[in-house]
Amino acid sequence: MNRKKLLIIICTVLLVSIVGLCVWLASCAVLSVGADTDFSVESLRWTIIGAIGSWVGSVFGAIALIVSLFALWLPQRLKIKVSVSTGFMLSQIPGIDKVDAYIITVKNVGMKPITVSNVYLHFGNKKRGDIFVGMLNQNSVLQAFTPTFPKRLEQGESFEYYLLRDKLNSALVHYEEKTPVDTPLSIRVDEVTKGRQYYKTKWTLRTFVRK
């Protein structure tokens, strides 16, 4: 849960709690009326209760406004889902039945269109460098399946980025010298309005170097 949503929920809970307290105080005031009650004081008490009622109505109006603004803002957010998997593609090249590949899937799960300008691999925290993989598929059977950027995705649309498994494994071998094999993998997605976004995965460097 992001900070904005959490803040809105906390404020709403506080407002509801305050309203509940006011209603309870008003109920206590009503129940305290008896036969020996001084009605000049009681008149003032009912005036106060009326003012509290008006204030409670204003609070509920503010809550309704906050909820409406939140409901209006939420669909406008850009939401991207990223996943990684392994698979293979059937080859039409004689002598090659299939090609083993890593598959990065980028999907627009929001209501607004997005435009992806590039995809990178990333190990560790954000201070570490990103790994550009756009050259891995050059002059290979997967070159024709490499997405062309920028890539626009409407609501619900996605694209898959295939990377040669053996070639990527070989390219990442030298990372062992400076990166622990249990360092987690993130996928960096560059979106034209959101900028750089990092999406965590359950994979680590060990997934590629197999140690």
Side-chain angles (χ1 to χ4, degrees):
M1 184 181 296
N2 58 46
R3 293 181 179 179
K4 290 183 179 179
K5 184 184 294 186
L6 182 61
L7 181 61
I8 291 175
I9 292 174
I10 292 174
C11 291
T12 303
V13 170
L14 288 175
L15 288 174
V16 171
S17 300
I18 293 172
V19 170
L21 178 62
C22 292
V23 171
W24 178 76
L25 291 174
S27 300
C28 291
V30 171
L31 294 174
S32 66
V33 177
D36 56 347
T37 302
D38 185 347
F39 285 95
S40 61
V41 175
E42 192 60 31
S43 176
L44 176 60
R45 180 180 296 173
W46 280 105
T47 301
I48 294 174
I49 292 174
I52 291 175
S54 299
W55 182 82
V56 169
S58 300
V59 171
F60 272 115
I63 293 174
L65 178 61
I66 291 173
V67 172
S68 299
L69 291 175
F70 181 71
L72 179 65
W73 166 78
L74 189 60
Q76 305 303 316
R77 295 177 57 204
L78 300 181
K79 298 180 67 177
I80 302 171
K81 182 179 179 180
V82 178
S83 61
V84 291
S85 60
T86 58
F88 64 88
M89 293 190 64
L90 298 177
S91 173
Q92 298 180 350
I93 299 176
I96 303 178
D97 295 328
K98 62 180 181 179
V99 179
D100 291 327
Y102 295 113
I103 307 168
I104 302 173
T105 303
V106 180
K107 183 175 183 179
N108 179 11
V109 294
M111 298 182 65
K112 294 186 66 176
I114 64 172
T115 301
V116 178
S117 58
N118 222 320
V119 174
Y120 298 81
L121 303 184
H122 184 90
F123 290 97
N125 57 45
K126 294 182 180 180
K127 294 181 180 180
R128 294 177 179 267
D130 301 307
I131 304 171
F132 177 67
V133 292
M135 305 294 290
L136 287 176
N137 291 341
Q138 283 195 350
N139 302 318
S140 74
V141 294
L142 291 182
Q143 183 170 355
F145 299 95
T146 303
T148 302
F149 296 110
K151 189 82 172 177
R152 180 181 172 88
L153 298 176
E154 299 293 335
Q155 180 183 2
E157 290 185 339
S158 63
F159 70 84
E160 293 180 332
Y161 200 147
Y162 289 84
L163 299 170
L164 286 169
R165 185 184 297 187
D166 292 340
K167 204 168 183 179
L168 181 56
N169 289 349
S170 299
L172 293 177
V173 168
H174 72 280
Y175 273 82
E176 293 181 79
E177 301 174 0
K178 55 183 178 180
T179 305
V181 292
D182 291 323
T183 302
L185 167 71
S186 297
I187 304 298
R188 170 185 152 188
V189 176
D190 290 356
E191 204 280 328
V192 293
T193 56
K194 293 187 69 174
R196 297 180 181 180
Q197 301 294 316
Y198 292 87
Y199 299 87
K200 296 180 179 180
T201 74
K202 295 182 179 180
W203 289 16
T204 65
L205 182 58
R206 189 188 301 273
T207 306
F208 303 92
V209 299
R210 304 295 177 183
K211 291 191 176 181

